[in-house]
Amino acid sequence: LRVSRKEVEDNFRKYGLLDDRVEFIEGWFKNSLKDERLNKMAVIRLDGDMYGSTIEALRQLYPKLSPGGFCIIDDYGLEPCRLAVEDYRREHRIGEELIRIDWAGAYWRKE
């Protein structure tokens, strides 16, 4: 499941979110999420679809999410993704309320 960098940049631009503070890190989650530039975040938005990609992203990124930051899961409505989120939250005793956005998405705010 791939999207071109141009398409991502165009979407950021469309919503007025593309500026000099945005940095894109390309690649598969298992490789790109280990990038040392990823050290402190206010928002993580995961779109991994599958169990493996979702759990990998949570393991790599959630510890770097600042208190008060948001964890947004695009594909929570898909069973493999939901199971990965539930497993991670249980494993790390994350008790913040998980809020459904629509049939697919959900989020919580890190305390």
Side-chain angles (χ1 to χ4, degrees):
L1 304 174
R2 294 176 54 169
V3 176
S4 73
R5 179 178 176 138
K6 181 183 179 330
E7 187 175 348
V8 173
E9 288 179 0
D10 288 347
N11 284 327
F12 270 68
R13 190 175 295 107
K14 177 180 176 181
Y15 293 102
L17 299 172
L18 188 62
D19 62 26
D20 60 349
R21 295 175 294 170
V22 175
E23 188 171 349
F24 296 101
I25 299 173
E26 300 178 65
W28 296 104
F29 289 166
K30 66 182 179 181
N31 302 321
S32 63
L33 295 181
K34 294 177 183 175
D35 191 295
E36 59 193 44
R37 293 173 287 176
L38 300 172
N39 54 29
K40 190 173 182 184
M41 294 172 241
V43 175
I44 57 175
R45 180 185 163 273
L46 307 182
D47 188 3
D49 299 355
M50 300 169 282
Y51 186 95
S53 53
T54 301
I55 199 81
E56 177 74 26
L58 284 166
R59 286 178 179 152
Q60 293 292 328
L61 300 179
Y62 194 76
K64 301 172 185 179
L65 183 63
S66 299
F70 290 90
C71 182
I72 304 165
I73 311 291
D74 275 8
D75 299 304
Y76 187 77
L78 300 176
E79 184 177 10
C81 177
R82 181 181 50 76
L83 291 173
V85 171
E86 290 173 358
D87 286 351
Y88 187 85
R89 285 173 53 94
R90 183 175 41 258
E91 181 180 317
H92 295 277
R93 295 187 168 108
I94 297 170
E96 292 90 357
E97 180 185 8
L98 186 129
I99 300 165
R100 294 298 298 258
I101 299 167
D102 55 19
W103 70 270
Y107 74 94
W108 72 90
R109 187 171 191 181
K110 186 175 186 179
E111 291 183 355

